Each structure stands twice: as C-alpha cells, then as structure tokens.
Amino acid sequence: MRRTTSPNILRNRHVRRILVTSSVLAFLAAVPASTRAGVIVSWTGPSSFDDSTISFTGFQTSELTDVTGGGYYHDHGGPTTVFLDILLDGVWTNLFSDFIHTNNSSHFMDSIPTSFSFAQGTVSGLRLRSDPYRLNTFHALTPDTKFEFNTATASVPEPESLAVFGLGTLGLVVGGIRHRRKSQSV
C-alpha cells in the first residue's frame, strides 16, 4: 500500500530540518563578530608635569567615552592652553583643548567633556601638554586617572555568514518546490 503525503508542508521532516537550519543560520548572521565594550587606559606618566606622553598596546576604536579619577590642571600665573591628544594610527590627533586665563584656578580632569568621536583607527598613546609652556601645568595625576575608549564594533554580518544564509534560503525554496511538484504528481 502506498503512503500518502500530507498536504501540510510543515509535517515533512526534511522541510522542518531545512527551516530549523536556515533559522539558526539567520541568527548567526545577525550576531556581530566582536562585542568588546571598552578599554580603560590608566595614566602611567608623571604626577606633575607640563607635557607628558604615555604609550600602550594599540586597540581599534573611534570614541573616547569618559575621563575619570583625580588630577587637575591650571595656568601657574600666565595664560596657556592645555591639550589632550591621542596617537591615532601613528599621528597625534587633538581631542580636547582648554584655554586657561591668568586666574590660577584649577580644572579637574574628570570635568573634561567626554564622548569625543574620531576616525576609526588604532590608538596607542595619550599626550597631555600645555602651550605656551607653563611649568607643571598638570598636577596629581595617578593611575586612578582613567581614559575609557569605546571599542565595540559595528554589527555587520560577515560575508560568509550571509552566503550560508542565502544557500539555506535557496535550499528551503527548492525543497518547497520539489515537495509541491511531488505532491501534485501523486
């Protein structure tokens, strides 16, 4: 006796297997390749200075999101401008500058406005400096002075994942057509 096929395509175990496989592939294609949230760089340079640089292992980023901890800067009796620079792909790039008048008032590092965006690249250094030169413009910086960078990458599926998803979808369509033809011929 010949077995009849069910008109409901979802009852076919092969079709169910294809649906499950393509659903899993669609999920994997939507998951970003990297989800690292951030890198925190602690100040390792001198405590009091007018111009200092720190270097570290580079990482990919496009945003400084926060400056926290101790430390401050002021003018020592003459107008000056302080700068916060990053070493981006081997080139010093200014993120922040603050002109200080001759009032000798202190400006705290954690009051620096944050969320500086810049071109995506490798950051491997920080520099704090004053211009014109003022002796010991920066004071009380310690490893508690931290610079946080956002290193999350864009959620773009890799081409290989999209290709596998496309093949799974194609298999689902072809399987549905074959099943429909087979059930019509019976």
Side-chain angles (χ1 to χ4, degrees), residues 48-92:
S48 296
F49 58 92
D50 59 289
D51 189 339
S52 187
T53 302
I54 62 170
S55 298
F56 42 85
T57 302
F59 51 87
Q60 288 286 312
T61 185
S62 63
E63 183 181 24
L64 172 65
T65 57
D66 204 5
V67 179
T68 59
Y72 62 95
Y73 56 91
H74 61 100
D75 63 349
H76 275 281
T80 190
T81 303
V82 297
F83 298 92
L84 167 60
D85 304 327
I86 59 168
L87 188 58
L88 179 64
D89 293 329
V91 177
W92 285 108

Side-chain angles (χ1 to χ4, degrees), residues 7 40 43 51 54 73 80 93 100 114 117 137 144 151 153 156-157 175:
I40 297 175
W43 182 256
D51 189 339
I54 62 170
Y73 56 91
T80 190
T93 305
I100 306 170
T114 51
S117 295
T137 302
D144 290 335
T151 57
T153 58
V156 179

Side-chain angles (χ1 to χ4, degrees), residues 142-154:
T142 68
D144 290 335
T145 307
K146 299 184 186 311
F147 302 84
E148 183 172 352
F149 292 88
N150 179 7
T151 57
T153 58

Side-chain angles (χ1 to χ4, degrees), residues 118-135:
F118 44 88
Q120 178 77 24
T122 301
V123 173
S124 58
L126 280 170
R127 178 172 66 185
L128 293 169
R129 61 188 173 93
S130 62
D131 187 24
Y133 167 81
R134 295 286 181 237
L135 180 64

